[in-house]
Amino acid sequence: MKRSTLLAVGGWVAAVVVALVAGVTVTNSLSSAVTGPNIRPLSADQVRQELAIPITVSPTPTTKSTPTPTLPTRAPRELRVFATAGGTTVAACVSGQATLLSWTPAQGYHVDDVDPGPDNHAKVKFETDDTEVEVEVHCEAGHPISRQKID
């Protein structure tokens, strides 16, 4: 092999190594500058503590004006997500009362009727032209339980 070819290949390899080291160095410097040096995941207790903050939820926009449900200052013991063909509902039991925190219709569905609670039963109705899915939530021993009815 010619000496000039060997020098060209060696120079190319050296340039690649220098570029790689420079890229790693810059990436590490930028990531610590952006995220900070002490980023670490939350423990389960820290997550529970963060979730204990009172939550205010605005309903899905509709053509009618509806009141905004506000949770009492006592935080829910447990949040549950209920997924149905008509949409998804997030509910909690607060002081023994069922409360819908949010509701999102599935594609093709819209929200027809909502009773977000807090009450013994909270419910939301998702509809299409030919299908109606009603999700009703109540509390048992501080846990949200759902029942769905499809028409």
Side-chain angles (χ1 to χ4, degrees):
M1 202 184 237
K2 287 187 181 179
R3 184 174 181 190
S4 61
T5 305
L6 217 82
L7 283 176
V9 170
W12 182 82
V13 169
V16 168
V17 169
V18 167
L20 182 63
V21 169
V24 169
T25 303
V26 169
T27 303
N28 286 341
S29 297
L30 286 177
S31 67
S32 65
V34 171
T35 61
N38 295 326
I39 298 298
R40 55 192 166 83
L42 296 176
S43 70
D45 287 337
Q46 290 169 320
V47 170
R48 276 190 220 92
Q49 195 172 27
E50 290 292 323
L51 288 174
I53 298 170
I55 302 170
T56 302
V57 178
S58 298
T60 305
T62 62
T63 56
K64 299 180 231 175
S65 176
T66 56
T68 302
T70 303
L71 289 179
T73 55
R74 184 170 167 206
R77 288 181 52 197
E78 179 180 3
L79 299 176
R80 284 209 178 149
V81 177
F82 301 107
T84 68
T88 304
T89 305
V90 179
C93 292
V94 180
S95 301
Q97 300 287 301
T99 303
L100 300 184
L101 302 176
S102 70
W103 47 91
T104 306
Q107 188 170 358
Y109 284 80
H110 65 274
V111 175
D112 179 53
D113 188 26
V114 178
D115 178 6
D119 204 343
N120 289 333
H121 292 87
K123 67 180 180 177
V124 60
K125 191 183 298 181
F126 302 110
E127 285 188 352
T128 64
D129 290 339
D130 57 343
T131 306
E132 186 177 287
V133 178
E134 183 176 281
V135 179
E136 185 177 284
V137 178
H138 67 278
C139 296
E140 288 184 15
H143 303 287
I145 306 295
S146 90
R147 178 186 66 83
Q148 64 177 298
K149 180 175 136 185
I150 301 173
D151 288 329

